[in-house]
């Protein structure tokens, strides 16, 4: 059957599973918790189908199995909410702090790492205090309060803020000895190991001025957008746009039959006032996009190279270093869709390489 993917808005091959009131969850076999090893933890994570819940949905099993030439000495849990509007990680930290700490310990054990930290923005001091109290007797885990700013939760920003290590362009956290996991991922690992639960649900925020009753929810994977929106009271009369994800990196939706995926972080229902859309004009050469880029790129140049099909120049100037955080497009006084052009350029380059 064909269904639309909420990440790309393109039709993808899918199946429909009809549930009923007698649906039961087949939990994974019990483990001997007194004799857990790194191998057992990694295999359980693989069997449970756990993926990274920070956005990319990369299989966690692989993140817990670094290349043999990479020495990992530190684990960081990303407690910085990835985008404005979203509060799902905050709620998980607030409501399940013990499970979170146990999940972190399992990740550290799977990687044979002795040091770990949870980075949390300083507008969540209640969570910071709760977690600090839980680890007050732990020498191997620290809770770090970080400045609230976007995109503080980006991997490279987080590593720099907590450890003062810089990930070189084109490299990964593994290359500087760090493994980063999302809050939800750590809790999913705890559930898989201690409770035998596979990853069959997603935690997400439903927010925006266009939804009548904003909520944080845990829903089965595959739930349709329309059902979630109806559960939250439906749309207001001035609702203008529905976005899956956050306001900076999310994807606008036109088909509410699209479904929730494992890494879906939120559904935003935005009004005209929130969108604040203006007419695009020519680049003003103001340099604001360059000033705010957290990776010190030149977004306006990358976007222009993409428009002109100068793909080699785009690649030479670091187009694949861009994490598409959206800060450049947000501050652009000419309202140029810089991120869209950069993403389009990446896709053209990748497609051209596949053809070759």
């Amino acid at each position: 059957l064909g269904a639309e993917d909420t990440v790309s808005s393109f039709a993808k091959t899918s199946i429909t599973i009809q549930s009923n009131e007698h649906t039961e969850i087949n939990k994974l076999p019990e483990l001997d918790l007194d004799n857990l090893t790194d191998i057992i933890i990694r295999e359980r994570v693989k069997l449970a189908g756990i993926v990274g819940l920070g956005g990319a949905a990369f299989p966690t099993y692989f993140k817990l199995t670094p290349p043999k030439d990479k020495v990992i000495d530190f684990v960081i849990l990303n407690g910085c909410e990835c985008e404005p509007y979203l509060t799902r990680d905050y709620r998980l930290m607030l409501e399940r702090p013990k499970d979170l700490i146990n999940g972190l310990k399992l990740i550290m054990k799977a990687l044979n790492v002795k040091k770990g930290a949870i980075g949390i923005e300083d507008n969540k001091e209640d969570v910071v205090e709760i977690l600090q109290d839980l680890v007050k007797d732990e020498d191997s885990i620290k809770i770090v309060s970080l400045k609230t700013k976007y995109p503080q939760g980006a991997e490279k920003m987080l590593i720099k803020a907590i450890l003062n290590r810089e990930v070189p362009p084109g490299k990964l956290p593994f290359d500087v000895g760090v493994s980063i996991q999302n809050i939800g991922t750590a809790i999913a690992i705890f559930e898989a190991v201690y409770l035998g639960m596979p990853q069959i649900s997603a935690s997400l925020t439903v927010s925006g001025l266009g939804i009548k009753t904003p909520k944080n929810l845990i829903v089965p994977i595959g739930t349709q957008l329309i059902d979630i929106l109806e559960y939250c009271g439906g749309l207001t009369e001035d609702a203008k746009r529905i976005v899956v994800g956050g306001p900076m990196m999310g994807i606008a939706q036109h088909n509410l039959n699209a479904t929730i995926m494992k890494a879906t972080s939120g559904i935003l229902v935005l009004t005209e006032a929130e969108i604040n859309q203006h007419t695009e004009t020519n680049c003003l050469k103001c340099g604001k996009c360059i000033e705010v880029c957290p990776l010190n790129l030149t977004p306006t140049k990358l976007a222009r190279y993409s428009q002109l099909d100068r793909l080699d120049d785009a690649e030479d100037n670091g187009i694949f270093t861009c994490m598409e955080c959206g800060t450049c497009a947000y501050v652009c006084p000419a309202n140029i869709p810089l991120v869209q052009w950069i993403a389009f350029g990446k896709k053209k380059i990748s497609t051209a390489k596949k053809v070759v």
Side-chain angles (χ1 to χ4, degrees):
L1 297 175
E4 286 195 1
D5 177 0
T6 48
V7 175
S8 66
S9 290
F10 292 111
K12 299 290 179 66
T13 300
S14 63
I15 61 174
T16 298
I17 300 175
Q18 185 66 43
S19 63
N20 57 58
E21 60 182 10
H22 303 296
T23 298
E24 296 182 359
I25 298 173
N26 291 324
K27 294 186 178 182
L28 301 170
E30 290 187 13
L31 295 174
D32 181 0
L33 300 178
D34 293 328
N35 294 293
L36 281 178
T37 66
D38 55 345
I39 296 175
I40 291 174
I41 295 171
R42 288 197 297 270
E43 286 301 316
R44 173 49 59 95
V45 167
K46 183 178 181 180
L47 187 62
I50 297 174
V51 301
L53 300 179
F58 193 77
T60 302
Y61 170 78
F62 291 108
K63 293 186 73 173
L64 295 181
T65 314
K68 293 182 179 180
D69 62 334
K70 306 296 182 183
V71 179
I72 310 301
D73 64 5
F74 211 94
V75 172
I76 295 177
L77 289 191
N78 187 354
C80 299
E81 211 73 57
C82 58
E83 292 197 52
Y85 283 81
L86 305 183
T87 56
R88 64 162 188 172
D89 290 341
Y90 169 63
R91 293 308 310 178
L92 287 172
M93 291 187 288
L94 196 62
E95 296 177 16
R96 303 185 63 180
K98 292 182 180 179
D99 296 344
L100 176 64
I101 297 299
N102 284 326
L104 172 56
K105 290 179 179 179
L106 288 171
I107 294 170
M108 293 168 62
K109 189 176 184 64
L111 290 166
N112 295 304
V113 170
K114 302 299 182 184
K115 294 291 184 179
I118 304 177
I120 306 170
E121 290 172 305
D122 57 13
N123 64 346
K124 302 176 180 65
E125 283 301 321
D126 51 350
V127 170
V128 172
E129 292 176 3
I130 291 171
L131 291 175
Q132 284 180 338
D133 184 62
L134 284 177
V135 301
K136 60 185 179 183
D137 298 323
E138 303 273 358
D139 294 330
S140 59
I141 298 174
K142 63 179 181 179
I143 310 301
V144 184
S145 180
L146 303 168
K147 182 178 180 180
T148 303
K149 62 179 181 179
Y150 179 81
Q152 184 71 274
E155 288 185 340
K156 294 183 179 181
M157 310 297 108
L158 200 59
I159 292 171
K160 175 66 176 177
I162 293 178
L163 297 176
N164 198 30
R165 301 180 190 178
E166 295 189 7
V167 181
K171 299 295 183 180
L172 298 170
F174 280 166
D175 294 298
V176 293
V178 181
S179 174
I180 291 190
Q181 304 286 347
N182 177 264
I183 294 298
T185 306
I187 292 178
I189 291 173
F190 164 80
E191 291 182 336
V193 173
Y194 283 90
L195 307 179
M197 282 293 295
Q199 191 172 17
I200 58 175
S201 62
S203 301
L204 55 90
T205 297
V206 184
S207 187
L209 297 179
I211 189 73
K212 290 182 179 178
T213 311
K215 298 176 183 287
N216 280 295
L217 301 172
I218 298 176
V219 303
I221 297 164
T223 304
Q224 293 181 316
L225 301 182
I226 185 66
D227 293 331
I228 295 173
L229 296 175
E230 288 178 355
Y231 181 77
C232 294
L235 312 184
T236 61
E237 292 183 0
D238 56 346
K240 188 72 174 179
R241 180 179 298 170
I242 295 174
V243 175
V244 169
M248 305 295 284
M249 302 176 69
I251 304 294
Q253 304 294 311
H254 60 86
N255 184 351
L256 297 185
N257 290 322
T259 59
I260 293 303
M261 303 172 72
K262 288 183 179 181
T264 300
S265 58
I267 304 173
L268 303 184
V269 185
L270 307 177
T271 63
E272 188 71 46
E274 292 171 290
I275 297 172
N276 197 24
Q277 193 168 3
H278 298 288
T279 303
E280 180 182 345
T281 64
N282 292 328
C283 178
L284 306 177
K285 311 296 183 184
C286 65
K288 288 186 177 181
C289 62
I290 301 173
E291 291 176 3
V292 300
C293 178
L295 298 175
N296 301 312
L297 299 173
T298 311
T300 181
K301 182 181 289 187
L302 294 175
R304 191 63 177 153
Y305 283 151
S306 297
Q307 286 177 296
L308 298 174
D309 272 336
R310 293 171 58 177
L311 304 182
D312 289 339
D313 289 330
E315 192 166 10
D316 290 343
N317 280 269
I319 192 169
F320 283 103
T321 300
C322 172
M323 59 185 175
E324 300 176 31
C325 67
T327 51
C328 56
Y330 183 80
V331 302
C332 178
N335 302 301
I336 300 171
L338 296 167
V339 180
Q340 287 86 339
W341 278 116
I342 291 172
F344 184 57
K346 286 182 179 180
K347 188 172 183 179
K348 286 197 290 187
I349 294 171
S350 297
T351 301
K353 287 183 177 181
K354 287 181 181 178
V355 171
V356 173

